[in-house]
């Protein structure tokens, strides 16, 4: 009988695996390490051999890279972005100050004297940080690698280029001393503004010899290779100073300088040397700089790469227009004369509003010296903003036309009381634009709402900030303002029938004959109706006509445009003067924006002539700039469709008008019979016999049937009549019977000294005199005390405004500050 297997019976034992002996482990690790070492040695030898081969083939060239070239719209070369022979000087090692060498080493490669071209410690550290951040946050390139890239390689970012860079770096370390590598590096690196090498940079930025650089100057130069455009002390003085402080901190950590030296060098402000222009030659610098910025954005590369990439950049530049701009900007008679050597500056942008092509740019009268491109720097726009934030959006609502009467009968909007020389009187929108009336513009913005005006402006590319949301926006009261480029673009939309305009200066970019970038216009958008655009053009043509504020902008073509000025805003100074003077306008072919003013406004540096000179400069430039371009005409605005309205039935004529003269109080008491119509008010008309003015409205909106005339004079005869009005139906009666009242001669006595006013009487109202408000210098200013005179000596259209209050569309007020104009 077979035995049953019981639960828990023993199972056959498993075979034990043989463990690797200690000797086997030793040999495995040993041979793995040997293989690794052999591979590393072979790899390192290959790197050295490849680097030596490349040095043998290309070492005699010492090539920075092929120059990128800029061409005008006709394909003619206008600038080479990499002409190092004009902007570089070679320095010997003995000329380089020790502190500059230390600043470069501390900032770019603190282990420079310890490695042999490749810093594996830095590479590993950078790799770890990149992995943790999941993106490239730190580089591991040594100074030798940077030199290899700048001297021998193109700007292409590929694995093979990095490997080649490492090969050359190791070879350089084999063939050159550390001092020679540093010398070559400092002679080759780019310092912005077309300057290559530390020697040329010392002369350009500080007007001194390389060997005489001070600590703060050496640190400033050492800060720039990381970003020549970003850390440039001319372009970005604040960022340059911050980066300089970082360099000095690194030098202190490496024990190159003391804490006292570090703090003293951090605090020194940068001042541009007077002879800075000596290293800058050529022309069209403002336009070329604008092209460089646009090319960097389109290509996604920095300026150094752009300059050495061998690109052919074809632009929209019209040499004819640019030469016209440069000629007039070089003529001092086009600008006010300054009290000292601080010039009255200016900027201008010319644009084809049909294509968005930028045709010419002026960045300043001495742009080659200062390189501060005022064409793209914001300034307060003054009244040139009125078509953009007040009249344009009002027309777009469909409730206004150029002939609409603006009933701006308010002096104040809450606590905000803008003024002009006309006061609160009714005026058509066209006349308000022509005269550049302040109250009309503010009243219109209040009617449509600040939010509506701001939204319209933003669509046109004008940067309206939250702090700008108040009624002072109607007069150019903005925190930062707008640049000539932005103003030209906004006006181009009006000139282009309300369609969007994409400003650009590059048509295409090529490399070795092949297109690497081609401009493609974005889809056109209708930012305002063509009717609104045509209305604005029609209204702004009146500005150029006789009596308008921009008559000096007239040329032999149709012109529409708007002037604008802003008051000086100097705290504690109540004299007249202007900070910004504008004219922005267009012909049917091109749009242009002109700005004039001082870079820094103070009591000794303010304008007096206003926007008339800006308008005149527009004409002087645009006349020759447009030579040979076929003349066109503006689009004509279609008349608005008139709604058929029922003619209101006339009210019954008022009867029984009579008058009584009271001798004691020297007044006439008028009375009449009440109208039978309900909800009627009365308007009384008066005529002084012998006067040429005829009947005038003496008083209106009278609810009763009696009124007193206390403004009569002895010996004068007056005629009166009354008209009834019904506001609900807009109906009115025929004139009542007319009566004549002869005021007898009355002896009032011979006056001696002026009499005191009767006790309790109200004082005569006078216009307020505003005091300028102090604000930070953000490119704008607060209102000054009095309006400035125009060229004919009269007081111009715009006048100072008081500190404005913010408002919503409903017109509610809340405190904010703003800006004002002085004239058209």
């Amino acid at each position: 009988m077979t035995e049953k297997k019981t639960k828990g019976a023993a199972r056959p034992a498993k075979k034990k695996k043989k463990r690797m002996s200690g000797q086997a482990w030793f040999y495995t690790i040993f041979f793995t390490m040997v293989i690794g070492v052999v591979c590393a040695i072979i790899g390192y030898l290959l790197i050295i051999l490849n680097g030596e081969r490349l040095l043998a083939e290309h070492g005699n060239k010492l090539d920075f890279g092929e120059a990128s070239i800029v061409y005008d719209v006709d394909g003619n070369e206008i600038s080479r972005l990499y002409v190092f022979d004009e902007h570089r000087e070679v320095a010997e090692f003995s000329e380089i100050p020790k502190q500059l060498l230390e600043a470069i080493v501390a900032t770019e490669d603190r282990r420079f004297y310890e490695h042999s071209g490749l810093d594996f410690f830095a590479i590993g550290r950078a790799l770890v940080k990149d992995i943790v951040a999941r993106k490239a946050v730190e580089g591991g390139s040594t100074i030798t690698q940077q030199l290899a890239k700048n001297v021998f390689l193109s700007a292409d970012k590929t694995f093979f280029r990095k490997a080649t860079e490492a090969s050359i770096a190791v070879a350089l370390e084999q063939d050159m001393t550390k001092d020679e590598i540093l010398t070559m590096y400092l002679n080759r690196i780019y310092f912005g503004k077309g300057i290559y090498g530390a020697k040329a940079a010392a002369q350009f930025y500080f007007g001194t010899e390389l060997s005489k650089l001070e600590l703060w100057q050496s640190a400033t130069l050492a800060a720039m290779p990381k970003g020549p455009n970003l850390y440039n002390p001319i372009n970005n003085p604040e960022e340059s100073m911050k980066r300089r402080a970082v360099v000095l901190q690194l030098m202190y950590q490496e024990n190159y300088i003391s804490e006292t030296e570090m703090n003293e060098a951090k605090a020194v402000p940068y001042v541009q040397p007077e002879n800075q222009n000596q290293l800058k030659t050529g022309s069209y610098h403002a336009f070329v700089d604008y092209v460089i910025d646009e090319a960097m954005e389109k290509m996604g590369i920095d300026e150094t790469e752009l300059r050495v990439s061998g690109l052919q950049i074809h632009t929209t530049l019209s040499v004819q227009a640019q030469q016209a701009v440069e000629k007039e900007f070089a003529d001092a008679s086009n600008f006010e004369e300054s009290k000292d050597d601080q010039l009255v500056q200016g900027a201008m942008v010319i644009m084809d509003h049909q294509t968005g092509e930028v045709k010419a740019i002026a960045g300043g009268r001495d742009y080659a010296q200062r390189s501060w491109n005022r064409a793209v720097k914001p300034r307060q726009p003054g009244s040139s903003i009125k078509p953009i934030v007040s009249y344009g959006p009002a027309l777009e609502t469909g409730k206004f036309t150029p002939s609409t009467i603006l009933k701006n009968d308010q002096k104040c909007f809450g606590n905000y009381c803008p003024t002009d020389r006309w006061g609160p009187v009714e005026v058509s929108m066209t006349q308000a634009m022509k005269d550049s009336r302040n109250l009309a513009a503010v009243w219109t913005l209040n009617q449509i709402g600040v939010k509506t005006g701001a939204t319209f402006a933003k669509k046109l590319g004008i940067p309206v900030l939250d702090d700008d949301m108040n009624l002072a926006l109607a007069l150019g009261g903005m925190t930062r303002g707008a640049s000539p480029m932005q103003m030209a673009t906004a006006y181009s939309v009006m000139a282009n029938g309300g369609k969007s305009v994409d400003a650009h200066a590059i048509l295409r970019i090529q490399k070795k004959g092949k297109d690497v970038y081609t401009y493609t216009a974005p889809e056109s958008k209708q930012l305002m109706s063509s009717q609104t655009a045509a209305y604005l053009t029609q209204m702004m043509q009146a500005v150029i006509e006789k009596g308008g504020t921009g008559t000096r902008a007239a040329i032999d073509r149709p012109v529409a445009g708007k002037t604008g000025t802003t008051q000086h805003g100097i705290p504690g100074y109540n004299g007249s003067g202007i900070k910004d003077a504008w004219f922005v306008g267009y012909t049917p072919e091109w749009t242009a924006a002109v700005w004039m003013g001082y870079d820094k406004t103070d009591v000794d540096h303010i304008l007096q002539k206003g926007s008339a000179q800006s308008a005149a400069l527009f004409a002087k430039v645009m006349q020759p700039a447009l030579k040979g371009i076929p003349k066109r005409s503006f689009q004509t605005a279609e008349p608005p469709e008139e709604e058929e309205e029922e003619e209101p039935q006339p009210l019954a004529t008022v009867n029984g008008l009579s008058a009584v003269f009271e001798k004691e109080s020297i007044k006439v008491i008028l009375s009449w019979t009440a109208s039978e119509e309900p909800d009627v008010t009365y308007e009384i008309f008066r005529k002084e016999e012998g006067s040429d003015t005829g009947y005038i409205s003496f008083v209106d909106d009278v609810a009763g049937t009696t009124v007193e005339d206390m403004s009569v004079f002895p010996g004068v005869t007056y005629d009166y009549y009354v008209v009834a009005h019904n506001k609900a139906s807009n109906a009115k009666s025929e004139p009542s019977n007319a009566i004549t009242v002869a005021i007898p001669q009355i002896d009032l006595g011979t006056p001696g000294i002026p009499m005191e006013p009767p006790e309790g009487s109200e004082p005569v109202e006078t216009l307020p005199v505003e005091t300028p408000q102090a604000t930070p210098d953000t490119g704008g200013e607060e209102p000054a005390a009095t309006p400035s005179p125009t060229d004919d000596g009269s007081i111009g259209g715009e006048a100072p405004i008081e500190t404005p209050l913010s408002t919503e569309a409903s017109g509610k007020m809340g405190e904010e500050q703003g800006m004002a104009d002085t004239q058209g």
Side-chain angles (χ1 to χ4, degrees):
M1 201 170 166
T2 307
E3 275 187 26
K4 292 183 180 179
K5 292 183 179 179
T6 60
K7 188 175 181 183
R11 297 181 181 178
K14 292 183 179 179
K15 280 188 175 183
K16 292 184 178 181
K17 291 184 178 180
K18 290 184 178 181
R19 293 186 176 182
M20 187 179 290
S21 66
Q23 188 177 18
W25 273 109
F26 171 81
Y27 283 113
T28 300
I29 294 172
F30 174 80
F31 284 111
T32 301
M33 291 176 63
V34 169
I35 293 171
V37 170
V38 170
C39 290
I41 292 173
I42 292 173
Y44 191 73
L45 288 174
L46 288 175
I47 289 175
I48 293 176
L49 290 173
N50 184 52
E52 292 289 351
R53 179 183 62 81
L54 290 171
L55 279 181
E57 291 178 1
H58 305 290
N60 61 334
K61 294 182 180 180
L62 295 175
D63 187 14
F64 270 8
E66 186 180 357
S68 293
I69 304 173
V70 181
Y71 301 90
D72 66 16
V73 72
D74 297 319
N76 301 311
E77 181 180 326
I78 60 173
S79 180
R80 284 181 175 262
L81 301 186
Y82 183 61
V83 187
F84 61 84
D85 287 335
E86 294 181 10
H87 306 302
R88 177 174 61 86
E89 289 188 46
V90 178
E92 299 295 331
F93 179 78
S94 59
E95 297 179 75
I96 304 173
K98 180 182 178 183
Q99 287 182 328
L100 177 58
L101 295 172
E102 293 171 342
I104 287 291
V105 170
T107 307
E108 298 294 326
D109 186 3
R110 64 186 180 87
R111 290 166 52 84
F112 173 72
Y113 291 103
E114 301 171 23
H115 62 67
S116 297
L118 301 178
D119 187 351
F120 296 103
F121 178 83
I123 293 172
R125 183 184 63 218
L127 184 61
V128 170
K129 288 187 176 181
D130 291 351
I131 292 172
V132 171
R134 297 184 179 181
K135 62 179 180 179
V137 295
E138 181 171 324
S141 294
T142 64
I143 286 176
T144 317
Q145 285 177 274
Q146 293 179 49
L147 176 63
K149 178 184 69 174
N150 290 337
V151 176
F152 297 99
L153 302 175
S154 70
D156 297 330
K157 293 182 177 180
T158 64
F159 171 81
F160 294 103
R161 197 213 70 172
K162 292 295 293 184
T164 305
E165 174 185 297
S167 297
I168 296 174
V170 173
L172 285 171
E173 290 276 350
Q174 294 293 321
D175 292 352
M176 301 172 65
T177 66
K178 292 288 187 180
D179 290 345
E180 288 172 336
I181 290 172
L182 276 177
T183 302
M184 183 178 288
Y185 177 80
L186 285 170
N187 277 327
R188 304 284 168 195
I189 54 178
Y190 180 57
F191 287 94
K193 300 299 179 187
I195 304 299
Y196 289 85
K199 188 170 184 177
Q203 292 175 346
F204 179 75
Y205 288 107
F206 307 112
T208 186
E209 294 297 325
L210 178 62
S211 60
K212 298 179 181 178
L213 284 177
E214 298 176 13
L215 173 59
W216 74 272
Q217 295 169 330
S218 293
T220 300
L221 293 185
M224 293 174 64
K226 191 79 173 178
N229 200 39
L230 177 61
Y231 300 122
N232 189 300
I234 296 175
N235 287 1
N236 296 294
E238 291 183 3
E239 290 299 322
S240 173
M241 202 164 184
K242 290 178 184 177
R243 179 65 179 168
R244 184 213 303 172
V246 172
V247 173
L248 291 165
Q249 185 70 38
L250 292 172
M251 293 180 70
Y252 171 70
Q253 292 173 3
E254 294 298 320
N255 295 319
Y256 290 137
I257 58 175
S258 68
E259 185 175 6
T260 301
E261 289 175 314
M262 175 186 69
N263 291 331
E264 288 177 353
K266 283 182 179 181
V268 181
Y270 174 74
V271 179
Q272 292 175 247
E274 294 180 358
N275 63 343
Q276 197 168 67
N277 64 317
Q278 292 179 0
L279 287 177
K280 301 294 288 182
T281 59
S283 57
Y284 312 160
H285 290 301
F287 187 91
V288 171
D289 281 357
Y290 186 81
V291 167
I292 289 173
D293 290 339
E294 187 174 322
M296 287 193 295
E297 178 188 350
K298 301 302 181 185
M299 297 296 292
I301 58 179
D302 62 26
E303 188 171 347
T304 302
E305 291 176 308
L306 180 71
R307 289 178 175 272
V308 302
S309 294
L311 303 175
Q312 296 86 49
I313 306 173
H314 295 267
T315 73
T316 59
L317 178 76
S318 164
V319 171
Q320 176 175 282
Q322 186 68 43
Q323 288 179 346
V325 169
E326 305 233 345
K327 177 184 176 184
E328 298 305 329
F329 269 69
D331 186 349
S333 67
N334 290 323
F335 300 84
E336 286 187 37
E337 186 175 352
S338 180
K339 294 181 179 180
D340 50 32
D341 58 356
Q342 184 180 338
L343 295 177
V344 173
Q345 278 298 342
M348 187 171 187
V349 173
I350 302 178
M351 184 185 303
D352 185 332
H353 47 248
Q354 299 168 83
T355 63
E357 294 181 0
V358 179
K359 293 300 180 183
I361 296 177
R365 294 174 65 186
D366 54 355
Y367 185 79
Q369 296 175 339
R370 297 186 180 275
S371 300
W372 177 257
N373 198 344
R374 299 163 184 86
V376 294
K377 303 301 180 184
R379 300 287 298 211
Q380 294 287 346
S383 281
S384 61
I385 204 73
K386 289 176 181 177
I388 298 173
V389 300
S390 288
Y391 301 132
L395 292 168
E396 191 73 352
T397 66
K399 300 177 181 179
F400 294 81
T401 70
S403 59
T404 298
I405 300 299
L406 309 180
K407 298 183 178 181
N408 56 315
D409 53 356
Q410 292 177 252
K411 286 184 180 179
C412 293
F413 302 81
N415 290 339
Y416 175 38
C417 301
T419 60
D420 58 31
R421 65 188 176 100
W422 292 273
V425 296
E426 296 183 0
V427 65
S428 72
M429 187 180 286
T430 297
Q431 192 66 41
M433 179 85 84
K434 182 176 182 178
D435 296 335
S436 198
R437 301 194 182 197
N438 283 349
L439 283 171
V442 175
W443 181 88
T444 302
L445 181 58
N446 191 56
Q447 292 296 305
I448 63 173
V450 173
K451 186 176 181 180
T452 299
T455 300
F456 190 86
K458 290 177 183 177
K459 284 197 302 181
L460 271 57
I462 302 300
V464 180
L465 307 181
D466 290 343
D467 289 343
D468 301 333
M469 299 295 286
N470 56 74
L471 288 176
L473 181 63
L475 307 183
M478 303 175 70
T479 305
R480 288 184 54 79
S483 69
M485 183 66 72
Q486 290 169 330
M487 293 297 290
T489 303
Y491 273 64
S492 288
V493 176
M494 307 174 202
N496 195 36
K499 295 179 181 178
S500 59
V501 176
D502 181 47
H504 64 283
I506 297 177
L507 296 174
R508 67 183 183 279
I509 301 176
Q510 297 179 316
K511 187 169 186 178
K512 296 181 180 179
K514 294 183 179 180
D515 288 350
V516 293
Y517 167 79
T518 302
Y519 173 77
T520 303
E523 183 180 354
S524 178
K525 297 180 180 179
Q526 196 74 38
L527 301 183
M528 69 178 81
S529 70
S530 58
Q531 181 77 317
T532 295
Y535 275 156
L536 287 170
T537 298
Q538 173 186 318
M539 293 163 59
M540 286 192 287
Q541 282 183 276
V543 174
I544 316 301
E545 297 170 356
K546 184 178 180 181
T549 59
T551 55
R552 296 182 66 181
I555 59 175
D556 63 352
R557 298 169 185 256
V559 176
K562 184 71 187 72
T563 52
T565 54
T566 65
Q567 294 199 13
H568 59 70
I570 301 171
Y573 176 66
N574 294 326
S576 64
I578 296 164
K579 185 172 185 179
D580 304 284
W582 291 80
F583 181 82
V584 190
Y586 49 89
T587 69
E589 301 82 25
W590 287 356
T591 298
V594 179
W595 167 84
M596 288 183 180
Y598 284 97
D599 287 334
K600 298 291 183 181
T601 302
D602 55 41
V603 175
D604 294 322
H605 301 101
I606 48 180
L607 301 178
Q608 297 297 334
K609 294 185 179 180
S611 56
Q613 280 199 313
S614 300
L617 186 59
F618 172 93
K620 287 183 177 181
V621 171
M622 293 296 277
Q623 183 79 27
L626 288 164
K627 184 179 179 181
I629 296 178
K631 296 180 181 180
R632 300 168 53 223
S633 300
F634 284 128
Q635 174 186 351
T636 304
E638 296 293 333
E641 295 183 5
E642 296 184 2
E643 297 181 4
E644 293 186 6
E645 296 183 0
E646 293 184 8
E647 192 71 26
Q649 296 295 321
L651 300 178
T653 303
V654 178
N655 294 310
L657 177 62
S658 61
V660 175
F661 173 68
E662 287 190 356
K663 181 177 179 180
E664 293 78 9
S665 54
I666 315 178
K667 64 181 179 182
V668 174
I669 302 175
L670 301 170
S671 59
W672 55 90
T673 303
S675 171
E676 297 178 358
E677 302 284 345
D679 302 321
V680 167
T681 59
Y682 302 94
E683 183 176 12
I684 295 86
F685 292 84
R686 187 183 78 175
K687 180 179 72 172
E688 181 180 329
E689 289 193 358
S691 171
D692 296 331
T693 58
Y695 280 98
I696 61 172
S697 177
F698 166 60
V699 63
D700 61 0
D701 212 21
V702 176
T705 58
T706 302
V707 72
E708 296 179 350
D709 183 0
M710 301 180 67
S711 61
V712 295
F713 288 90
V716 180
T717 299
Y718 299 91
D719 295 335
Y720 299 90
Y721 69 81
V722 179
V723 174
H725 291 274
N726 186 311
K727 290 187 176 180
S729 65
N730 202 29
K732 64 179 180 179
S733 71
E734 292 294 324
S736 70
N737 61 298
I739 62 170
T740 301
V741 179
I743 309 302
Q745 288 286 358
I746 301 174
D747 186 7
L748 298 178
T750 302
I753 60 173
M755 294 186 297
E756 293 290 331
E759 186 176 346
S761 64
E762 292 293 326
V764 178
E765 181 182 4
T766 59
L767 290 177
V769 176
E770 290 78 5
T771 302
Q773 305 289 322
T775 58
D777 188 8
T778 59
E781 62 286 326
E782 288 299 317
T786 58
S788 298
T790 58
D791 286 346
D792 61 3
S794 62
I795 299 300
E798 293 81 355
I801 60 175
E802 294 177 345
T803 303
L805 298 181
S806 63
T807 178
E808 300 299 335
S810 62
K812 295 181 180 179
M813 304 295 170
E815 292 189 1
E816 282 288 352
Q817 289 190 342
M819 254 317 300
D821 272 334
T822 57
Q823 64 182 28

